[in-house]
Amino acid sequence: MNFEPVMLSEKENALREEVRTFLAKQKHFLSNHSVIDPWFACVPEFSLLLGAQGWIGMTFPRKYGGAERSYLERYVVIEELLAAGAPVGAHWFADRQIGPLLLRFGTEEQKNFFLPQIVRGECYFSIGMSEPDSGSDLASIRTKGKRVDGGWLINGQKTWTSFAQNSRYMVLLCKTTASSDDRHEGMSQFIVDLESEGVTRRPITNLAGEEHFYEVFLEDVFVPEGRLLGAEGNGWNQVMAELAFERSGPERFLSNFQLLAEALEVLRSSDYREAARQTIGLLVTRLMVLRQMSLSVASQLQSGALPVTEATIVKDLGTSFEQEMVDCLRTQLVVEAGNDAAERIGQLLCGSILKSPSFSLRGGTREILRGILAKGLGLR
Amino acid sequence: MNEITNIIEESVSNLFQSHANSDAVEVMESGGFPSRFWEEFYDGGWCGITLPEDEGGAGMGLAGGYILMRLSGYHAVPLPIVEPIISTHLLSLAGLPPQNGFSTVAIADSSVENEGSYHFKRVPWARHASGLVVVIPGESDARLVWIDRAQLKVAERTNVAGEPRDDVMVNNEALKGAVILPGISPARVLSWFALGRAAQMTGALVKALDRTVEYANERKQFGRLIGKLQALQQQIAVQAEYVNYARCAVDTAIIHLDSPQEWECIAAAKISAGEAAGKVCNTAHAVHGAIGFTREHLLQMSTRRLWAWRDEYGNEAQWATKLGDLCLGIESGSLWPWLTEQSHK
C-alpha cells in the first residue's frame, strides 16, 4: 500500500488563494445553507458560479470544456470549498465520478454531449445503485434492462438515490443478462434521463428531517442505444473503477469540519480551554494525517493509477474521524445541541449528531470496506 | 525514492536481518551488548549518515537517519540506533568534534537539577555509551555539551522491551563549557528524537501486521484458516489502516523537516504512531492467541517495543496537549489556513 506524502507547488498555492478570494465574496451562500455536510447541500446557483470559475470538471480535457488541471489542483479547490462549508451538492457526483467514468468508458458522442454541460455546472447526476433488497450486497440487484428495437427497456426500482429530484440524469446499474454462476457478470450501466416516461421519483425524509434521497421507480423506461455506458455486461467492473475516485476525497473527513473550527473559537476563550487541549490536539492530528493520505491518493490518481485499497482506508478512517469528532467535542463544549440553538456551536453540533450515521454508510459501509481491505491483505 | 535511498535500504536491511535474531536480543536483555553486530553497524559509518560528505558522512541529513531508524524498528534491532545517529548530528551542528564509540542523549532542565548534580532519568543505552550529549535550554537556542562516560554515574534500568534506559547522575561542573546550538531550540531537539522513535515504531507496526496476516493464513480452527473468519478479517483490516496511518504521518513529518511546519508534523507523527501502537498490538495478540503470549514467539519483539516506544520522548497525550495548545492559540478563524500551510513548498 502506498501513501507517499505529497508537496504541493506554487501553482496549487496560487489556485488556493484564488478560491479563498472567490469565497470571501460569496458569504451569503455560506451562511444561508447547511454548512454541515456541504456536499449534500444542493444549490444550483452556486454550482453555476463555480462552473463559470472553471472549478467543475477541472481535470477534463479541453476539447470537452475542461481545464486539463491536475487532480492535485482539483483537490485544493474542493478542500477549500468543503472546509468553508460551501454548498457543492448539486454538481458533486457529476464532477467527482460521472465525469471520470464517462472519460474512461463513454462514447465520443456521450462525452461531447455531457461533459461540457457538467463543466458549466448545469448538468447534475444521481447514482442509481442501491435497491430495496440490495444495499451492501450490490451484486444482488434485480432491476433489469431488456434489449428492444433501438435501445433498452428498463424495469425495476432504485432507492437511497441522492438528489434524484435535482438531477436530470442518473447513472443506473442493472442486470442485462440472466444470472450466471458469476454474480458479477451480466450487469450494465445506463445513463437514464430522469424526465423520461415511466420514471417516478418519491422523496424519503431522513432522520434529520431533510429530503435529499429518493426512491426511483422505473416502469418500461426506454433508454436509447446511445445511452448504454461502456460495454454491455461490464457494469460491475466499471462501478469498481469509480471507487478510487469516490472513496478517497477530502469529503470523507471534512463533512463536519465547520464544527471543529467553531469549537476551537468557542473553547479558546472558555473555562474549558485547558481541559480541551488534548482532545483538540488529537482531533487536529487526525485531520492532518487524513489530509496527507487523501492528497497522496489524489497524486496517484494523477499518475493514472487506481488506488482502490488506499481509497478504502481513507474512507473508513475518515468517516470514523467525522463520527468520533462529534462525541469528543460535545463533552468538551458543554452545550446542548439544537437546530434552533441560540449559539452557532449548538446548531453545528445538532447537524453533526443527526447526520453522523450517514457518514459511514454512504459510499460503502464500514464492514464492506473492511472486507475489501482484508481481501487486499490476502485474507480472503 | 531515489537510487541512493534504495541502496542504503537494501544494504542496512541485509545487515539488520543477518544479526537481529532472538539470540542477539537475549544478549541485550540479559544486560549484555551484541558487540559484533554493533561493530559492523558502526564500522559501516552509519552513525554519520546525516553528516555532510566533507565531514565524512553520507550527506543524507536527518531524513536519511530516519530511514535507518525505521528499518531498525522493523527488524527489532537490539542496538542503539536513534541516539547515536542524532547525537552525531547534534555534535556536528554545534561544531564539536565527532567522538569515538556512540553517544546517547539527555535534555537538562531545572527539574533534573538537585544539589550540585543533574539526575537524568531513563537515558537510553547509557551503560554502553562512550559519552553523553546533554542539551541545555538557553535563552532561545539550545546549548550542548559532550560528557565522557567516565564522568557519569549510571544506575541500570530497562524499559518494557528490556532495552537499557538508565538513570544517570552527573556533576554540574561537567555541564560547563556548553556551546550554542545555533538556531535550534531545545523543543526542536526533543522533537527530532521523538520522530526517531516514531520512525522505529512504524517499522515495528509493519512487522506486527505482517506477522498477524501470516499467522491468520496458516492457523486452522473450526476446520478452516482463521483468516477466513469475518470477525478476524474486520479486526485485521483496521489494524492495517492504523499501520498505514502512522506510516503516512511519519513520512509526512520527514518531508516537512526544515520547513516552518516541522514541529507540528512531528507532533502528529508521534501521536499517530502512539495511537496506532495500542490498537495494532491488541489485534496482533488477539489473532495470535496464547502462542503470541510466549517469550519464545517472535511477536513480542515487536509488540513490547511498541509498548515501550510510544511512551518515550513524549507519549500521545503529552504531544496532543502541546499541539492542542498551539491550535487554541492561533489567530481566530485561522485553523484552516494554518492546516493548509502543511504540504506547501
Side-chain angles (χ1 to χ4, degrees):
Chain A
M1 266 174 263
N2 174 13
F3 284 102
E4 200 175 321
V6 175
M7 275 291 188
L8 298 172
S9 68
E10 239 355 274
K11 194 167 60 169
E12 286 98 19
N13 216 357
L15 181 57
R16 185 186 300 286
E17 287 313 312
E18 252 182 79
V19 181
R20 285 183 185 169
T21 310
F22 166 82
L23 284 172
K25 294 179 197 145
Q26 310 298 336
K27 288 280 182 229
H28 54 291
F29 278 114
L30 307 187
S31 52
N32 290 347
H33 300 283
S34 166
V35 291
I36 295 296
D37 232 1
W39 56 291
F40 272 74
C42 205
V43 182
E45 308 92 280
F46 188 74
S47 294
L48 289 170
L49 280 179
L50 287 184
Q53 291 289 322
W55 293 338
I56 300 176
M58 31 190 310
T59 60
F60 303 175
R62 280 185 204 284
K63 64 172 169 174
Y64 306 120
E68 294 186 10
R69 301 262 209 168
S70 71
Y71 276 98
L72 287 174
E73 289 175 287
R74 175 178 181 273
Y75 186 95
V76 165
V77 171
I78 61 172
E79 76 169 354
E80 286 298 322
L81 294 169
L82 292 168
V88 292
H91 64 275
W92 188 259
F93 300 109
D95 174 64
R96 180 181 74 183
Q97 69 207 86
I98 305 305
L101 186 69
L102 283 164
L103 284 166
R104 215 174 153 90
F105 301 107
T107 63
E108 206 48 41
E109 185 274 332
Q110 290 169 346
K111 290 189 249 189
N112 281 317
F113 181 76
F114 290 107
L115 294 175
Q117 299 183 62
I118 290 177
V119 167
R120 288 195 296 272
E122 59 189 41
C123 176
Y124 313 134
F125 275 82
S126 287
I127 297 172
M129 291 205 207
S130 296
E131 296 183 5
D133 292 324
S134 307
S136 288
D137 183 12
L138 184 60
S140 70
I141 54 169
R142 289 202 291 244
T143 298
K144 282 191 176 57
K146 199 176 95 189
R147 199 174 261 292
V148 293
D149 204 17
W152 300 79
L153 219 48
I154 312 283
N155 276 286
Q157 182 188 347
K158 293 289 170 184
T159 192
W160 319 128
T161 311
S162 296
F163 308 136
Q165 198 63 42
N166 286 286
S167 302
R168 173 71 190 263
Y169 302 100
M170 171 167 78
V171 169
L172 170 115
L173 181 72
C174 69
K175 291 267 184 194
T176 42
T177 47
S179 46
S180 66
D181 285 347
D182 184 345
R183 41 203 308 271
H184 299 145
E185 266 178 23
M187 283 187 249
S188 305
Q189 283 185 300
F190 294 94
I191 303 168
V192 178
D193 184 340
L194 289 171
E195 288 172 15
S196 309
E197 205 177 319
V199 174
T200 311
R201 294 170 268 187
R202 193 180 294 159
I204 305 170
T205 309
N206 70 21
L207 65 76
E210 300 164 330
E211 290 180 356
H212 53 57
F213 51 40
Y214 282 77
E215 292 177 288
V216 180
F217 301 90
L218 302 116
E219 199 180 341
D220 284 338
V221 176
F222 177 72
V223 176
E225 187 63 50
R227 292 294 171 261
L228 169 69
L229 175 52
E232 183 188 340
N234 195 37
W236 184 263
N237 294 331
Q238 291 170 200
V239 166
M240 292 301 115
E242 283 174 57
L243 296 180
F245 295 95
E246 191 190 328
R247 290 181 172 158
S248 65
E251 71 273 21
R252 299 304 183 180
F253 52 90
L254 289 178
S255 297
N256 51 359
F257 172 76
Q258 286 283 321
L259 173 66
L260 179 62
E262 182 70 9
L264 207 67
E265 299 305 316
V266 171
L267 286 167
R268 90 169 66 238
S269 52
S270 89
D271 294 342
Y272 303 101
R273 180 192 157 123
E274 290 266 294
R277 290 178 305 177
Q278 188 180 327
T279 299
I280 295 294
L282 290 172
L283 291 174
V284 169
T285 295
R286 283 288 168 101
L287 191 54
M288 284 167 67
V289 182
L290 283 163
R291 179 167 175 268
Q292 295 295 339
M293 296 177 92
S294 179
L295 266 169
S296 178
V297 174
S299 150
Q300 293 170 55
L301 288 173
Q302 181 61 31
S303 63
L306 276 180
V308 173
T309 320
E310 284 83 352
T312 306
I313 293 185
V314 172
K315 182 178 184 292
D316 193 25
L317 283 176
T319 56
S320 299
F321 161 73
E322 291 176 333
Q323 292 173 336
E324 283 162 25
M325 181 166 87
V326 181
D327 270 343
C328 290
L329 288 178
R330 50 169 272 279
T331 49
Q332 301 295 326
L333 287 163
V334 197
V335 59
E336 286 186 24
N339 253 335
D340 49 5
E343 310 276 343
R344 184 164 179 264
I345 191 71
Q347 298 169 17
L348 291 170
L349 197 53
C350 180
S352 294
I353 291 169
L354 292 177
K355 290 171 189 185
S356 101
S358 74
F359 297 162
S360 60
L361 294 176
R362 57 192 182 196
T365 66
R366 176 171 291 148
E367 290 69 25
I368 290 295
L369 298 177
R370 293 176 183 175
I372 292 171
L373 275 177
K375 199 171 180 180
L377 290 166
L379 287 172
R380 264 168 54 178
Chain B
M1 225 184 288
N2 62 34
E3 210 177 320
I4 297 261
T5 314
N6 284 335
I7 293 169
I8 289 178
E9 284 220 13
E10 204 186 316
S11 146
V12 173
S13 290
N14 287 339
L15 173 67
F16 286 170
Q17 199 155 11
S18 58
H19 287 283
N21 47 38
S22 44
D23 291 346
V25 171
E26 276 307 320
V27 169
M28 186 269 295
E29 290 206 40
S30 48
F33 193 62
S35 309
R36 277 192 46 207
F37 184 7
W38 171 254
E39 278 155 24
E40 232 178 283
F41 180 76
Y42 184 78
D43 294 343
W46 295 115
C47 292
I49 185 168
T50 70
L51 302 187
E53 287 174 29
D54 59 16
E55 290 182 37
M60 302 278 296
L62 281 173
Y66 291 124
I67 297 173
L68 306 193
M69 297 173 206
R70 174 168 50 76
L71 294 173
S72 77
Y74 183 81
H75 293 285
V77 169
L79 292 175
I81 301 291
V82 172
E83 289 74 19
I85 291 174
I86 301 181
S87 296
T88 305
H89 189 72
L90 291 174
L91 288 173
S92 157
L93 288 177
L96 294 173
Q99 299 291 339
N100 285 329
F102 77 86
S103 306
T104 183
V105 70
I107 295 181
D109 56 45
S110 52
S111 68
V112 294
E113 193 181 358
N114 185 24
E115 291 177 5
S117 55
Y118 277 89
H119 298 253
F120 299 113
K121 289 223 163 80
R122 312 196 69 78
V123 180
W125 305 91
R127 73 188 74 161
H128 301 302
S130 60
L132 175 71
V133 165
V134 180
V135 179
I136 309 159
E139 303 257 308
S140 60
D141 296 349
R143 289 179 305 129
L144 178 148
V145 63
W146 185 82
I147 302 171
D148 192 281
R149 170 70 174 83
Q151 293 177 263
L152 309 176
K153 233 168 108 179
V154 174
E156 297 190 357
R157 304 261 187 268
T158 51
N159 68 10
V160 173
E163 294 179 308
R165 295 293 183 263
D166 302 326
D167 289 347
V168 173
M169 199 169 88
V170 55
N171 196 290
N172 281 4
E173 293 295 311
L175 270 69
K176 284 194 174 143
V179 299
I180 283 188
L181 210 46
I184 297 167
S185 69
R188 193 167 179 213
V189 174
L190 174 68
S191 78
W192 288 347
F193 283 97
L195 183 56
R197 278 292 180 272
Q200 289 186 299
M201 289 172 77
T202 58
L205 287 165
V206 171
K207 188 70 176 185
L209 173 65
D210 287 355
R211 286 198 191 284
T212 305
V213 171
E214 199 182 323
Y215 187 75
N217 274 332
E218 64 186 34
R219 169 76 171 169
K220 273 190 179 167
Q221 287 289 276
F222 307 107
R224 57 180 171 156
L225 294 172
I226 59 171
K228 302 284 172 207
L229 301 170
Q230 234 180 24
L232 291 198
Q233 288 177 355
Q234 297 267 313
Q235 289 187 50
I236 298 171
V238 175
Q239 188 187 31
E241 290 179 4
Y242 278 97
V243 171
N244 282 286
Y245 172 78
R247 275 178 58 186
C248 183
V250 168
D251 289 345
T252 299
I254 292 171
I255 64 164
H256 281 85
L257 286 169
D258 289 322
S259 78
Q261 288 74 41
E262 178 187 288
W263 185 88
E264 50 262 35
C265 288
I266 291 179
K270 188 67 171 56
I271 293 166
S272 306
E275 285 195 299
K279 296 177 200 288
V280 169
C281 291
N282 282 350
T283 302
H285 281 290
V287 171
H288 278 83
I291 193 74
F293 190 58
T294 61
R295 179 76 164 211
E296 189 183 356
H297 196 281
L298 297 178
L299 178 63
Q300 54 89 6
M301 300 222 301
S302 304
T303 54
R304 283 168 67 218
R305 278 171 175 71
L306 287 166
W307 289 323
W309 293 343
R310 63 182 173 176
D311 286 335
E312 295 179 352
Y313 299 120
N315 65 25
E316 316 73 285
Q318 291 167 298
W319 279 103
T321 303
K322 287 195 250 184
L323 181 63
D325 198 47
L326 178 107
C327 294
L328 285 158
I330 57 180
E331 197 185 329
S332 173
S334 61
L335 175 64
W336 182 251
W338 174 84
L339 195 82
T340 52
E341 286 292 312
Q342 293 153 27
S343 75
H344 268 298
K345 273 192 184 127

